Amino acid sequence: MRFRRYAFAFLAAAPAAAAIAAESWMQVAGAKPGIKFEVDAGSIVRRGDRVEFWERVQYEEPAVRDDASLRLIKVKKVLRVMDCRARTQGFREAMAFSTDARLIEHVMLNGTGIRMEPVPPRTIAAWQLDWACALAGWNDR
């Protein structure tokens, strides 16, 4: 599979290479038809009340184009940051890949650049928050 080889080669050189070492992708239910959401249980890292993990979104029939390159976005990979206590979400790193598995965009933020927003109830993000916080051993008691 061409995408996996390219993505692995690219990410092996990126600072987040440690997250790739123990990939354990699982599909998240509840996505719209034609969209596949996955989370990597092997990438969960806890930092106090916050957890981080990789999320991958794949579009069967891409319809959104990147503004700069005009290439269709096939896959997005995001290093999610979720605050278990505040029930907020943001991201530290994000990548978009085209239908030919080429990198379109790569964004990395530092700790102060991460914008946290509330996690809406009964959404995929709410499931991800509960899942990641539980796996990371976070307990609000």
Side-chain angles (χ1 to χ4, degrees), residues 73-89:
I73 298 172
K74 173 75 174 174
V75 176
K76 289 192 246 179
K77 197 165 181 185
V78 180
L79 182 57
R80 307 275 284 148
V81 178
M82 295 191 148
D83 190 307
C84 301
R85 183 174 309 281
R87 297 195 62 80
T88 56
Q89 63 180 336

Side-chain angles (χ1 to χ4, degrees), residues 30-123:
K32 293 178 184 176
I35 301 174
K36 182 178 174 184
F37 272 87
E38 296 174 297
V39 289
D40 181 7
S43 68
I44 292 178
V45 174
R46 180 177 171 188
R47 296 181 190 337
D49 286 340
R50 290 186 174 184
V51 291
E52 296 182 2
F53 60 91
W54 282 101
E55 167 191 81
R56 180 168 56 196
V57 181
Q58 298 181 59
Y59 302 92
E60 283 181 28
E61 295 185 30
V64 176
R65 291 191 183 273
D66 172 63
D67 291 336
S69 70
L70 299 180
R71 294 193 311 230
L72 288 169
I73 298 172
K74 173 75 174 174
V75 176
K76 289 192 246 179
K77 197 165 181 185
V78 180
L79 182 57
R80 307 275 284 148
V81 178
M82 295 191 148
D83 190 307
C84 301
R85 183 174 309 281
R87 297 195 62 80
T88 56
Q89 63 180 336
F91 76 93
R92 179 180 301 284
E93 187 171 355
M95 293 167 274
F97 295 90
S98 64
T99 54
D100 62 358
R102 291 175 47 197
L103 180 67
I104 296 173
E105 183 177 28
H106 183 192
V107 176
M108 291 182 72
L109 303 173
N110 64 24
T112 58
I114 298 172
R115 192 173 100 197
M116 301 296 282
E117 297 179 353
V119 174
R122 297 177 303 281
T123 61

